[in-house]
Amino acid sequence: MVLQAIKYTSGNLQILDQLQLPHKEVYQNITNVEDAWHAIKDMRVRGAPAIAIVAALALAVELSNQKDSHGSSHQTKEYIIEKLQYLVTSRPTAVNLADAARKLEKRVTEAAAESQDSQGSLVEDSYITAAQDMLIDDVHDNQKIGSYGASWILKLPQADGDRKVSVLTHCNTGYAESIRPGTHYRTDITNIARSLATAGYGTALGVIRSLDKSHRLKCAYYTETRPYNQGSRLTGYELIHDNIPCTLITDSMAAALLRLKGETQNIVAIIVGADRVAANGDTANKIGTYALAILAKHHGVKFLVAAPRTTIDLGTSTGEEITIEERPSREVTVIKGPRTRTKSHGEPTVDTTVVEEVSIAAMGTQAWNPAFDVTPANLIDGIVTEVGVFEKEGGAFHLEKAFSRNS
């Protein structure tokens, strides 16, 4: 069974509701920009690359299905740009979304200039094609990230002599089967399967998958990733789905894992994704990433950020300039899931027909709930992109070089 988090054909978009995973697979129709905005804000779809793709395709679907014209090419351009700017407000920290919006705005502006005062259908068609191209490009870019990251890890001294390695990851940066057999790279848009956090192979999990495919992965450890549990719910779902050797830990176990099992399990790297990478390499990612980077440095374990170039924001000098979204305290004090029933012998069963909320904090608790933190560049050993792995030169990252290389 191929895991699909995004299902897209011309004029139709469905997303796998990640809030209901891992116990139920429920697909929801995204028919317009408003649907996509709420799906992103509510975290039914998440992961910076996937957010950008869903937003872009939602507007493509809306344009495909609208019967009324938006007037001239100029009016259509203005309509599309307004919708894109609205979509960006759904998750301001995710630089991929803003980057995609800028590129799509540029495409429709050029199309409007070329078509002069003709009907806006030419501008709409140009937008739809560009959005579909982003989807396909994301799949292939993530495959390259996985390959480059795995190769970098396997060159570490701890991997000498075909020795198997273990890694630790945080949050969900998922993958799935990227393109089914027989899929044409540019034209067969309907046969592309998606991952949970990206549109294709995954970033950090793409590296893990590449290690597994090369038969060099001993174990992929993954954190539960409080408070939303993207690790236990989503990363575990993907790893188990694809029979990759894996073990779940709570966030607070990471230090003990590195100290007590680092040598015996040959844990050589912590691999994470990113929501935004500043020009100097400072990286905003799911809350808890910064703590893992500190632990990696203390225990002599490599810390690797896996992200496409669309996540690198050269317009943001350092992490100090990144706005950190704060989410409701309720996400920390309440946990939701299906009811379990324990039999006298054996594993408990899950009753997916009964979903309950359980309070896990004292009544009246006020919780601070930043969605992200920023890991300073000095704690990061490498940033892997679709054009290769970038390490510090002279003590600093020079990420502008990522945009002078061909993918």
Side-chain angles (χ1 to χ4, degrees), residues 296-314:
K297 181 69 71 175
H298 178 75
H299 290 278
V301 171
K302 297 296 183 182
F303 193 86
L304 185 67
V305 172
R309 288 181 294 179
T310 53
T311 307
I312 300 172
D313 184 5
L314 296 181

Side-chain angles (χ1 to χ4, degrees), residues 37-99:
W37 192 95
H38 285 287
I40 295 167
K41 192 68 176 177
D42 298 342
M43 296 184 73
R44 282 176 280 142
V45 60
R46 40 147 309 282
I51 285 169
I53 298 300
V54 168
L57 291 178
L59 180 50
V61 167
E62 181 174 315
L63 294 171
S64 296
N65 295 332
Q66 284 183 343
K67 295 180 172 58
D68 297 330
S69 169
H70 298 294
S72 69
S73 58
H74 175 75
Q75 290 171 322
T76 302
K77 177 199 74 173
E78 293 300 314
Y79 175 85
I80 290 173
I81 290 175
E82 180 182 353
K83 293 286 187 177
L84 288 170
Q85 290 174 346
Y86 171 67
L87 283 164
V88 169
T89 65
S90 64
R91 184 58 64 83
T93 307
V95 69
N96 304 62
L97 177 54
D99 180 75

Side-chain angles (χ1 to χ4, degrees), residues 251-269:
D251 297 5
S252 56
M253 294 176 184
L257 174 73
L258 295 180
R259 181 183 179 188
L260 301 177
K261 289 184 176 290
E263 184 174 348
T264 58
Q265 294 297 306
N266 199 24
I267 301 173
V268 300

Side-chain angles (χ1 to χ4, degrees), residues 90-149:
S90 64
R91 184 58 64 83
T93 307
V95 69
N96 304 62
L97 177 54
D99 180 75
R102 283 192 296 268
K103 290 176 179 176
L104 291 167
E105 287 177 16
K106 183 174 183 291
R107 175 70 76 91
V108 297
T109 298
E110 292 171 349
E114 292 170 2
S115 57
Q116 302 286 328
D117 292 326
S118 64
Q119 289 296 309
S121 58
L122 294 176
V123 177
E124 291 181 3
D125 290 344
S126 178
Y127 175 88
I128 292 169
T129 299
Q132 292 178 348
D133 285 348
M134 283 185 171
L135 171 65
I136 299 170
D137 289 342
D138 188 80
V139 173
H140 287 266
D141 288 347
N142 289 330
Q143 288 178 322
K144 293 173 184 175
I145 289 170
S147 178
Y148 282 125

